[in-house]
Coordinates of all heavy atoms in Angstrom, one line a residue:
M99 N -49.9 13.5 5.9 CA -48.8 14.0 5.1 C -49.3 15.3 4.4 O -50.4 15.5 4.0 CB -48.4 13.0 4.0 CG -47.0 13.2 3.5 SD -46.3 11.8 2.6 CE -47.5 10.6 2.4
I100 N -48.4 16.3 4.3 CA -48.7 17.6 3.7 C -48.5 17.5 2.2 O -47.6 16.8 1.7 CB -47.7 18.6 4.3 CG1 -47.8 18.7 5.8 CG2 -47.9 20.0 3.7 CD1 -46.8 19.6 6.5
A101 N -49.3 18.2 1.5 CA -49.2 18.3 0.0 C -47.8 18.8 -0.4 O -47.3 19.7 0.3 CB -50.3 19.2 -0.6
K102 N -47.3 18.3 -1.4 CA -45.9 18.6 -1.8 C -45.6 20.1 -1.9 O -44.6 20.5 -1.4 CB -45.5 17.8 -3.1 CG -44.0 17.8 -3.3 CD -43.7 16.9 -4.4 CE -42.1 16.9 -4.6 NZ -41.7 15.8 -5.4
P103 N -46.4 20.9 -2.6 CA -46.1 22.3 -2.7 C -46.1 23.0 -1.3 O -45.2 23.8 -1.1 CB -47.2 22.9 -3.6 CG -47.7 21.7 -4.3 CD -47.6 20.5 -3.4
L104 N -47.0 22.6 -0.4 CA -47.0 23.2 0.9 C -45.8 22.7 1.7 O -45.2 23.4 2.5 CB -48.3 22.8 1.6 CG -49.6 23.4 1.0 CD1 -50.8 22.9 1.8 CD2 -49.5 24.9 1.0
L105 N -45.4 21.5 1.5 CA -44.3 20.9 2.2 C -43.0 21.7 1.8 O -42.2 22.0 2.7 CB -44.1 19.4 1.9 CG -43.1 18.6 2.6 CD1 -43.3 18.7 4.1 CD2 -43.2 17.1 2.2
E106 N -42.8 21.9 0.5 CA -41.6 22.7 0.0 C -41.6 24.0 0.6 O -40.6 24.5 1.1 CB -41.7 22.7 -1.5 CG -41.4 21.4 -2.2 CD -40.1 20.8 -2.0 OE1 -39.1 21.5 -1.7 OE2 -40.0 19.6 -2.1
E107 N -42.8 24.7 0.7 CA -42.9 26.0 1.3 C -42.5 26.0 2.8 O -41.8 26.9 3.3 CB -44.3 26.5 1.1 CG -44.5 28.0 1.6 CD -45.9 28.5 1.4 OE1 -46.7 27.9 0.6 OE2 -46.2 29.5 2.0
A108 N -43.0 25.0 3.5 CA -42.7 24.9 4.9 C -41.2 24.7 5.1 O -40.6 25.3 6.0 CB -43.5 23.7 5.5
I109 N -40.6 23.8 4.3 CA -39.1 23.6 4.4 C -38.4 24.9 4.2 O -37.5 25.3 5.0 CB -38.7 22.5 3.5 CG1 -39.2 21.1 4.0 CG2 -37.2 22.5 3.3 CD1 -39.0 20.0 3.0
E110 N -38.8 25.7 3.2 CA -38.1 26.9 2.9 C -38.3 27.9 4.0 O -37.3 28.6 4.4 CB -38.7 27.6 1.6 CG -38.3 26.8 0.3 CD -38.9 27.4 -0.9 OE1 -39.5 28.5 -0.9 OE2 -38.9 26.7 -1.9
K111 N -39.5 28.0 4.6 CA -39.7 28.9 5.7 C -39.0 28.5 7.0 O -38.4 29.4 7.6 CB -41.2 29.0 6.0 CG -42.0 29.8 4.9 CD -43.4 30.1 5.3 CE -44.0 30.9 4.1 NZ -45.2 31.5 4.4
F112 N -38.9 27.3 7.3 CA -38.1 26.9 8.5 C -36.6 27.1 8.2 O -35.9 27.5 9.1 CB -38.4 25.4 8.9 CG -39.8 25.3 9.6 CD1 -40.8 24.5 9.1 CD2 -40.0 26.0 10.8 CE1 -42.0 24.4 9.7 CE2 -41.2 25.9 11.4 CZ -42.2 25.1 10.9
E113 N -36.2 26.8 7.0 CA -34.8 27.0 6.7 C -34.4 28.5 6.8 O -33.4 28.9 7.4 CB -34.4 26.5 5.4 CG -34.3 25.0 5.4 CD -33.9 24.4 4.0 OE1 -34.2 25.0 3.0 OE2 -33.5 23.2 4.0
S114 N -35.3 29.4 6.4 CA -35.1 30.8 6.5 C -35.1 31.3 7.9 O -34.3 32.1 8.4 CB -36.2 31.5 5.7 OG -36.1 32.9 5.9
A115 N -36.0 30.7 8.7 CA -36.1 31.0 10.2 C -34.8 30.6 10.9 O -34.3 31.3 11.7 CB -37.3 30.4 10.8
I116 N -34.3 29.4 10.5 CA -33.1 28.9 11.1 C -31.9 29.8 10.7 O -31.0 30.0 11.5 CB -32.9 27.4 10.7 CG1 -33.9 26.6 11.5 CG2 -31.4 27.0 11.0 CD1 -34.0 25.2 11.0
A117 N -31.9 30.3 9.5 CA -30.8 31.2 9.1 C -30.8 32.5 9.9 O -29.7 33.0 10.2 CB -31.0 31.6 7.6
K118 N -31.9 32.9 10.5 CA -32.0 34.0 11.3 C -31.8 33.7 12.8 O -31.3 34.6 13.6 CB -33.3 34.7 11.2 CG -33.6 35.3 9.8 CD -35.0 35.8 9.6 CE -35.2 36.3 8.2 NZ -36.5 36.6 7.9
D119 N -32.1 32.5 13.2 CA -32.0 32.1 14.6 C -31.6 30.6 14.7 O -32.5 29.7 14.9 CB -33.3 32.3 15.3 CG -33.3 32.1 16.8 OD1 -32.2 31.7 17.3 OD2 -34.3 32.2 17.5
A120 N -30.4 30.3 14.4 CA -29.9 28.9 14.3 C -30.0 28.1 15.6 O -29.9 26.9 15.5 CB -28.4 28.9 13.8
N121 N -30.2 28.8 16.7 CA -30.2 28.1 17.9 C -31.6 27.9 18.5 O -31.8 27.5 19.6 CB -29.3 28.8 19.0 CG -27.9 28.8 18.7 OD1 -27.4 27.7 18.2 ND2 -27.2 29.8 18.9
N122 N -32.6 28.1 17.6 CA -34.0 27.8 18.0 C -34.3 26.4 17.7 O -34.5 26.0 16.6 CB -34.9 28.8 17.2 CG -36.3 28.7 17.7 OD1 -36.9 27.6 17.9 ND2 -36.9 29.9 17.9
G123 N -34.4 25.6 18.8 CA -34.7 24.2 18.7 C -36.0 23.9 18.1 O -36.2 22.9 17.3
K124 N -37.0 24.7 18.3 CA -38.3 24.5 17.7 C -38.3 24.6 16.2 O -39.0 23.8 15.6 CB -39.3 25.5 18.3 CG -39.6 25.3 19.8 CD -40.6 26.3 20.3 CE -40.8 26.1 21.8 NZ -41.7 27.1 22.4
F125 N -37.6 25.5 15.7 CA -37.5 25.6 14.2 C -36.8 24.3 13.6 O -37.3 23.7 12.7 CB -36.6 26.8 13.8 CG -37.2 28.1 14.1 CD1 -36.4 29.2 14.2 CD2 -38.5 28.3 14.3 CE1 -36.9 30.5 14.4 CE2 -39.1 29.5 14.6 CZ -38.2 30.7 14.7
H126 N -35.8 23.8 14.3 CA -35.1 22.6 13.8 C -36.1 21.4 14.0 O -36.1 20.5 13.1 CB -33.9 22.3 14.6 CG -32.8 23.2 14.3 ND1 -32.0 23.1 13.2 CD2 -32.3 24.4 14.9 CE1 -31.1 24.1 13.1 NE2 -31.3 24.9 14.2
Y127 N -36.9 21.3 15.0 CA -37.8 20.2 15.2 C -38.8 20.2 14.1 O -39.1 19.2 13.5 CB -38.5 20.4 16.6 CG -39.4 19.2 16.9 CD1 -39.0 18.0 17.3 CD2 -40.8 19.4 16.7 CE1 -39.8 16.9 17.6 CE2 -41.7 18.3 16.9 CZ -41.2 17.1 17.3 OH -42.1 16.1 17.6
H128 N -39.4 21.3 13.8 CA -40.5 21.4 12.8 C -39.9 21.2 11.4 O -40.6 20.6 10.5 CB -41.3 22.7 12.9 CG -42.1 22.7 14.1 ND1 -43.3 21.9 14.3 CD2 -42.0 23.3 15.3 CE1 -43.8 22.1 15.5 NE2 -43.0 23.0 16.1
L129 N -38.7 21.6 11.2 CA -38.0 21.3 9.9 C -37.8 19.8 9.8 O -38.0 19.2 8.7 CB -36.7 22.1 9.8 CG -35.9 21.8 8.5 CD1 -36.8 22.1 7.2 CD2 -34.6 22.7 8.5
G130 N -37.4 19.2 10.9 CA -37.2 17.7 10.9 C -38.5 17.0 10.6 O -38.5 16.0 9.8
L131 N -39.6 17.5 11.1 CA -40.9 16.9 10.8 C -41.3 17.0 9.3 O -41.8 16.1 8.7 CB -42.0 17.5 11.6 CG -42.0 17.3 13.1 CD1 -43.2 18.0 13.8 CD2 -42.1 15.8 13.4
A132 N -40.9 18.2 8.8 CA -41.2 18.4 7.3 C -40.3 17.5 6.5 O -40.8 16.9 5.5 CB -40.9 19.9 7.0
W133 N -39.1 17.3 6.8 CA -38.2 16.4 6.1 C -38.7 15.0 6.2 O -38.6 14.2 5.3 CB -36.8 16.5 6.6 CG -36.0 17.7 6.0 CD1 -35.4 18.7 6.8 CD2 -35.8 18.1 4.7 NE1 -34.8 19.6 6.0 CE2 -35.0 19.3 4.7 CE3 -36.1 17.5 3.5 CZ2 -34.6 19.9 3.5 CZ3 -35.7 18.1 2.3 CH2 -35.0 19.3 2.3
T134 N -39.2 14.6 7.4 CA -39.8 13.3 7.6 C -41.0 13.1 6.7 O -41.1 12.0 6.0 CB -40.2 13.1 9.0 OG1 -39.1 13.3 9.9 CG2 -40.8 11.7 9.3
D135 N -41.9 14.1 6.6 CA -43.0 14.0 5.7 C -42.5 13.8 4.2 O -43.1 13.0 3.5 CB -43.9 15.2 5.8 CG -45.1 15.0 6.6 OD1 -45.3 13.9 7.1 OD2 -45.9 16.0 6.7
K136 N -41.5 14.5 3.9 CA -41.0 14.4 2.5 C -40.4 13.0 2.3 O -40.6 12.4 1.2 CB -39.9 15.5 2.2 CG -39.6 15.6 0.8 CD -38.8 16.9 0.6 CE -38.5 17.1 -0.9 NZ -37.9 18.3 -1.2
G137 N -39.8 12.5 3.3 CA -39.3 11.1 3.2 C -40.4 10.1 3.0 O -40.3 9.2 2.2
L138 N -41.5 10.3 3.8 CA -42.6 9.4 3.7 C -43.3 9.5 2.3 O -44.0 8.6 1.9 CB -43.6 9.7 4.8 CG -43.2 9.4 6.2 CD1 -44.2 9.9 7.2 CD2 -43.1 7.9 6.4
G139 N -43.1 10.6 1.6 CA -43.6 10.8 0.3 C -42.8 10.1 -0.8 O -43.1 10.3 -2.0
G140 N -41.7 9.4 -0.4 CA -40.9 8.7 -1.3 C -39.5 9.2 -1.6 O -38.8 8.6 -2.3
E141 N -39.2 10.3 -0.9 CA -37.8 10.9 -1.1 C -37.0 10.5 0.1 O -36.8 11.2 1.0 CB -37.9 12.4 -1.3 CG -38.7 12.8 -2.5 CD -38.7 14.3 -2.8 OE1 -37.7 14.9 -2.5 OE2 -39.7 14.8 -3.3
G142 N -36.4 9.3 0.0 CA -35.7 8.7 1.1 C -34.5 9.5 1.6 O -34.3 9.4 2.8
A143 N -33.9 10.2 0.8 CA -32.7 11.1 1.3 C -33.2 12.1 2.3 O -32.4 12.6 3.1 CB -32.0 11.7 0.1
S144 N -34.5 12.4 2.3 CA -35.0 13.4 3.2 C -35.0 12.9 4.6 O -34.9 13.7 5.6 CB -36.4 13.8 2.8 OG -36.4 14.4 1.6
F145 N -35.0 11.6 4.8 CA -34.9 11.0 6.2 C -33.6 11.4 6.8 O -33.6 11.7 8.0 CB -35.1 9.5 6.1 CG -36.5 9.0 5.9 CD1 -36.8 8.0 4.9 CD2 -37.6 9.6 6.6 CE1 -38.1 7.6 4.7 CE2 -38.9 9.1 6.4 CZ -39.1 8.1 5.4
D146 N -32.5 11.4 6.1 CA -31.2 11.7 6.7 C -31.2 13.2 7.1 O -30.6 13.5 8.1 CB -30.1 11.5 5.7 CG -29.9 10.0 5.4 OD1 -30.2 9.2 6.3 OD2 -29.5 9.6 4.3
K147 N -31.9 14.0 6.3 CA -31.9 15.5 6.7 C -32.8 15.6 7.9 O -32.5 16.4 8.8 CB -32.5 16.3 5.5 CG -31.6 16.3 4.3 CD -32.2 17.1 3.2 CE -31.3 17.1 2.0 NZ -31.8 17.8 0.9
A148 N -33.9 14.8 8.0 CA -34.7 14.9 9.2 C -33.9 14.5 10.5 O -34.0 15.2 11.5 CB -35.9 14.0 9.1
I149 N -33.1 13.4 10.4 CA -32.3 13.0 11.5 C -31.4 14.0 11.9 O -31.2 14.3 13.1 CB -31.6 11.6 11.1 CG1 -32.6 10.5 11.1 CG2 -30.5 11.3 12.2 CD1 -32.1 9.2 10.6
T150 N -30.7 14.7 11.0 CA -29.8 15.8 11.3 C -30.5 16.9 12.1 O -30.0 17.4 13.1 CB -29.2 16.4 10.0 OG1 -28.4 15.3 9.3 CG2 -28.3 17.5 10.3
E151 N -31.7 17.3 11.7 CA -32.4 18.3 12.4 C -32.8 17.9 13.8 O -32.7 18.6 14.7 CB -33.7 18.7 11.6 CG -33.4 19.4 10.2 CD -32.5 20.6 10.4 OE1 -32.6 21.4 11.3 OE2 -31.6 20.8 9.5
F152 N -33.3 16.6 13.9 CA -33.7 16.1 15.2 C -32.4 16.0 16.1 O -32.6 16.3 17.4 CB -34.4 14.8 15.1 CG -35.7 14.9 14.5 CD1 -36.1 14.0 13.5 CD2 -36.7 15.8 14.9 CE1 -37.4 14.0 12.9 CE2 -37.9 15.9 14.3 CZ -38.3 15.0 13.3
Q153 N -31.3 15.7 15.6 CA -30.1 15.7 16.4 C -29.7 17.1 16.9 O -29.3 17.2 18.0 CB -28.9 15.0 15.6 CG -29.0 13.6 15.4 CD -28.0 13.0 14.5 OE1 -27.5 13.7 13.6 NE2 -27.7 11.7 14.6
R154 N -30.0 18.0 16.1 CA -29.7 19.4 16.5 C -30.6 19.8 17.6 O -30.2 20.5 18.5 CB -29.9 20.3 15.3 CG -29.6 21.8 15.5 CD -28.1 22.0 15.4 NE -27.8 23.4 15.5 CZ -27.0 24.0 16.3 NH1 -26.3 23.2 17.2 NH2 -26.8 25.3 16.4
V155 N -31.9 19.4 17.5 CA -32.8 19.7 18.6 C -32.3 19.1 19.9 O -32.3 19.8 21.0 CB -34.2 19.1 18.3 CG1 -35.2 19.2 19.5 CG2 -34.9 19.7 17.1
I156 N -31.9 17.9 19.9 CA -31.3 17.2 21.1 C -30.2 18.0 21.7 O -30.0 18.2 22.9 CB -31.0 15.8 20.8 CG1 -32.3 15.0 20.5 CG2 -30.2 15.1 22.0 CD1 -32.0 13.6 19.8
S157 N -29.3 18.5 20.8 CA -28.1 19.2 21.3 C -28.5 20.6 21.8 O -27.8 21.1 22.8 CB -27.0 19.3 20.2 OG -27.4 20.2 19.2
L158 N -29.5 21.2 21.2 CA -29.9 22.6 21.7 C -30.8 22.6 22.9 O -30.7 23.5 23.7 CB -30.6 23.3 20.5 CG -29.8 23.7 19.3 CD1 -30.7 24.2 18.2 CD2 -28.8 24.8 19.8
M159 N -31.6 21.5 23.1 CA -32.6 21.5 24.1 C -32.6 20.2 24.8 O -33.7 19.5 24.8 CB -34.0 21.8 23.5 CG -34.1 23.0 22.6 SD -35.6 23.0 21.5 CE -36.9 23.0 22.7
P160 N -31.5 19.7 25.4 CA -31.4 18.3 25.9 C -32.5 17.9 26.9 O -32.8 16.8 27.0 CB -30.0 18.2 26.4 CG -29.6 19.6 26.6 CD -30.3 20.4 25.6
D161 N -32.9 18.9 27.7 CA -33.9 18.6 28.8 C -35.3 18.8 28.4 O -36.2 18.7 29.3 CB -33.5 19.3 30.1 CG -32.1 18.9 30.6 OD1 -31.8 17.7 30.4 OD2 -31.4 19.8 31.0
D162 N -35.6 19.3 27.2 CA -36.9 19.7 26.8 C -37.7 18.4 26.3 O -37.0 17.5 25.7 CB -36.8 20.7 25.7 CG -38.1 21.4 25.4 OD1 -38.9 20.9 24.6 OD2 -38.4 22.5 26.0
K163 N -39.0 18.5 26.4 CA -39.8 17.4 25.9 C -39.6 17.2 24.3 O -39.6 16.1 23.8 CB -41.3 17.7 26.1 CG -42.2 16.5 25.6 CD -43.7 16.9 25.7 CE -44.6 15.8 25.2 NZ -44.3 15.3 23.9
M164 N -39.3 18.3 23.6 CA -39.1 18.2 22.2 C -37.8 17.3 21.9 O -37.8 16.6 20.9 CB -38.9 19.6 21.6 CG -40.0 20.0 20.8 SD -39.7 21.6 19.9 CE -41.4 22.1 19.9
A165 N -36.8 17.4 22.8 CA -35.7 16.5 22.6 C -36.0 15.1 22.7 O -35.5 14.2 21.9 CB -34.6 16.9 23.6
K166 N -36.9 14.8 23.7 CA -37.3 13.4 23.8 C -38.1 12.9 22.6 O -38.0 11.8 22.1 CB -38.1 13.2 25.1 CG -37.3 13.3 26.4 CD -38.1 13.3 27.6 CE -37.4 13.4 28.9 NZ -36.4 14.5 29.0
D167 N -39.0 13.8 22.1 CA -39.8 13.5 20.9 C -38.8 13.3 19.7 O -39.0 12.5 18.9 CB -40.8 14.6 20.6 CG -41.9 14.7 21.7 OD1 -42.1 13.7 22.4 OD2 -42.6 15.7 21.7
A168 N -37.8 14.2 19.6 CA -36.8 14.1 18.5 C -36.1 12.7 18.6 O -35.9 12.1 17.6 CB -35.8 15.2 18.6
Q169 N -35.7 12.3 19.8 CA -35.1 11.0 19.9 C -36.0 9.9 19.4 O -35.6 9.0 18.7 CB -34.7 10.7 21.4 CG -33.6 11.5 21.9 CD -33.3 11.4 23.4 OE1 -34.2 11.1 24.2 NE2 -32.0 11.6 23.8
S170 N -37.3 10.0 19.8 CA -38.3 9.0 19.3 C -38.4 9.0 17.8 O -38.5 8.0 17.1 CB -39.6 9.2 19.9 OG -39.6 9.0 21.3
M171 N -38.4 10.2 17.2 CA -38.5 10.3 15.7 C -37.2 9.7 15.1 O -37.4 9.0 14.1 CB -38.6 11.8 15.3 CG -39.9 12.4 15.7 SD -41.4 11.7 14.9 CE -41.0 12.0 13.2
I172 N -36.1 9.9 15.6 CA -34.9 9.3 15.1 C -35.0 7.8 15.1 O -34.7 7.1 14.1 CB -33.6 9.8 15.8 CG1 -33.4 11.3 15.5 CG2 -32.4 9.0 15.4 CD1 -32.3 11.9 16.4
K173 N -35.4 7.2 16.2 CA -35.5 5.8 16.4 C -36.5 5.3 15.3 O -36.3 4.2 14.7 CB -36.0 5.4 17.8 CG -34.9 5.5 18.8 CD -35.4 5.2 20.2 CE -34.3 5.4 21.2 NZ -34.8 5.2 22.6
D174 N -37.7 6.0 15.2 CA -38.7 5.5 14.2 C -38.2 5.6 12.8 O -38.4 4.7 12.0 CB -39.9 6.4 14.4 CG -40.7 6.1 15.6 OD1 -40.4 5.1 16.3 OD2 -41.6 7.0 16.0
I175 N -37.4 6.6 12.4 CA -36.9 6.8 11.1 C -35.9 5.7 10.8 O -35.9 5.0 9.8 CB -36.3 8.2 10.9 CG1 -37.4 9.2 10.9 CG2 -35.5 8.2 9.6 CD1 -36.9 10.7 10.9
E176 N -35.0 5.5 11.8 CA -33.9 4.5 11.6 C -34.6 3.1 11.5 O -34.1 2.2 10.7 CB -32.9 4.5 12.7 CG -32.0 5.8 12.6 CD -31.0 5.9 13.7 OE1 -31.2 5.3 14.8 OE2 -30.1 6.8 13.6
S177 N -35.6 2.8 12.3 CA -36.3 1.5 12.2 C -36.9 1.3 10.8 O -36.8 0.3 10.2 CB -37.3 1.4 13.3 OG -38.0 0.2 13.2
A178 N -37.6 2.4 10.4 CA -38.2 2.3 9.1 C -37.2 2.1 8.0 O -37.4 1.3 7.0 CB -39.0 3.6 8.8
K179 N -36.1 2.8 8.1 CA -35.0 2.7 7.1 C -34.5 1.3 7.1 O -34.2 0.7 6.0 CB -33.9 3.7 7.3 CG -34.2 5.1 6.9 CD -33.2 6.1 7.2 CE -31.9 5.8 6.5 NZ -30.9 6.8 6.7
N180 N -34.3 0.7 8.2 CA -33.8 -0.7 8.3 C -34.8 -1.7 7.8 O -34.5 -2.6 7.1 CB -33.5 -1.1 9.8 CG -32.2 -0.4 10.3 OD1 -31.4 0.0 9.5 ND2 -32.1 -0.2 11.6
S181 N -36.1 -1.5 8.1 CA -37.1 -2.4 7.5 C -37.3 -2.3 6.1 O -37.6 -3.3 5.4 CB -38.5 -2.0 8.2 OG -38.5 -2.3 9.6
L182 N -37.1 -1.1 5.5 CA -37.2 -0.9 4.1 C -35.9 -0.8 3.4 O -35.8 -0.3 2.2 CB -38.0 0.4 3.8 CG -39.4 0.5 4.5 CD1 -40.0 1.9 4.3 CD2 -40.3 -0.5 4.0
G183 N -34.9 -1.3 4.0 CA -33.5 -1.2 3.5 C -33.3 -1.6 2.0 O -32.5 -1.1 1.3
N184 N -34.1 -2.6 1.6 CA -33.9 -3.0 0.2 C -34.7 -2.1 -0.8 O -34.5 -2.3 -2.0 CB -34.5 -4.4 0.1 CG -33.6 -5.4 0.8 OD1 -32.4 -5.2 1.0 ND2 -34.2 -6.5 1.3
W185 N -35.5 -1.2 -0.3 CA -36.2 -0.3 -1.2 C -35.3 0.8 -1.5 O -34.6 1.4 -0.7 CB -37.4 0.2 -0.5 CG -38.5 -0.8 -0.3 CD1 -38.4 -2.2 -0.2 CD2 -39.9 -0.5 0.0 NE1 -39.6 -2.7 0.0 CE2 -40.5 -1.8 0.2 CE3 -40.6 0.6 0.1 CZ2 -41.9 -1.9 0.4 CZ3 -42.0 0.5 0.4 CH2 -42.6 -0.8 0.5
N186 N -35.3 1.2 -2.8 CA -34.5 2.3 -3.2 C -35.5 3.5 -3.5 O -36.2 3.5 -4.4 CB -33.8 2.0 -4.5 CG -32.6 1.0 -4.3 OD1 -32.0 1.1 -3.2 ND2 -32.5 0.1 -5.2
F187 N -35.4 4.4 -2.6 CA -36.2 5.6 -2.7 C -35.5 6.6 -3.6 O -34.3 6.7 -3.6 CB -36.4 6.3 -1.4 CG -37.3 5.6 -0.4 CD1 -36.7 5.0 0.7 CD2 -38.7 5.6 -0.6 CE1 -37.6 4.3 1.6 CE2 -39.5 4.9 0.3 CZ -38.9 4.2 1.4
P188 N -36.3 7.3 -4.4 CA -35.6 8.4 -5.3 C -35.1 9.5 -4.3 O -35.7 9.8 -3.3 CB -36.7 8.9 -6.2 CG -38.0 8.4 -5.6 CD -37.7 7.2 -4.7
A189 N -34.0 10.1 -4.6 CA -33.4 11.1 -3.8 C -34.1 12.4 -4.1 O -34.8 12.6 -5.0 CB -31.9 11.3 -4.1

């Protein structure tokens, strides 16, 4: 897991890159990873943001290995959310 200040910086940089090139699936993929890390740090709402980014990867690059990885990440996140469903993460 990335340290929180570095994680925030990474999220900002990927969001800025996406603002300039919204159709770059790699940016969305790495932003999804950053949101996943934030979710693992206890901010459960970040998991939903990660899923949104991974879904964008799948729509932008359906035949790419990153899309397959994004599908796996979505499954893992949803599985974790279901397993931890009774836990209330702070947003």
Side-chain angles (χ1 to χ4, degrees):
M99 202 164 10
I100 301 172
K102 192 169 183 169
L104 294 177
L105 188 55
E106 293 295 335
E107 183 179 345
I109 288 170
E110 288 176 18
K111 288 188 178 194
F112 283 118
E113 287 178 337
S114 176
I116 288 168
K118 295 175 186 169
D119 186 3
N121 293 322
N122 187 315
K124 291 179 183 181
F125 294 160
H126 288 279
Y127 181 80
H128 290 288
L129 180 56
L131 292 177
W133 282 122
T134 301
D135 258 4
K136 194 165 182 175
L138 291 171
E141 297 186 33
S144 297
F145 286 132
D146 293 330
K147 293 178 181 182
I149 289 172
T150 298
E151 295 304 323
F152 291 133
Q153 288 170 334
R154 185 79 173 128
V155 173
I156 294 165
S157 71
L158 289 170
M159 313 164 56
D161 298 323
D162 193 274
K163 181 187 180 310
M164 252 184 211
K166 290 177 180 50
D167 292 344
Q169 288 174 332
S170 294
M171 291 298 296
I172 290 170
K173 286 179 187 174
D174 290 346
I175 291 168
E176 288 176 345
S177 176
K179 284 175 66 176
N180 289 335
S181 295
L182 303 173
N184 294 330
W185 290 19
N186 292 320
F187 291 107

